Amino acid sequence: MPYLKMYPARNGDAFLIRENLAKPTAILIDGGYASTFQEYILLDLTNLAHHGYSLDLVVATHIDTDHIAGLLAFFKCNGNSQAPKIIPVKDV
């Protein structure tokens, strides 16, 4: 069954879509502000990685701060794509 989570991003947007199929699938759409990532998204991504998920797709709908700052914070914390610190990302 698909799962959609909307994060508190004040006037921005941040969504996580997860499907628990034979192969776990997850998509992150926007990241809100950096505080949205730190306070909410980080824990969920850590838990997803612990359960064998990767982010199949990360989408930035546009580059306004209230949509992209959380994604920038995520990529900074996640580090190198060859050795991610939080969760593997397949496509952006």
Side-chain angles (χ1 to χ4, degrees), residues 45-77:
L45 295 183
T46 302
N47 287 333
L48 284 176
H50 179 75
H51 288 96
Y53 282 81
S54 60
L55 284 175
D56 294 281
L57 181 63
V58 175
V59 176
T61 59
H62 60 286
I63 60 169
D64 289 351
T65 301
D66 59 338
H67 291 255
I68 200 167
L71 295 180
L72 295 175
F74 163 60
F75 286 119
K76 183 176 180 180
C77 288

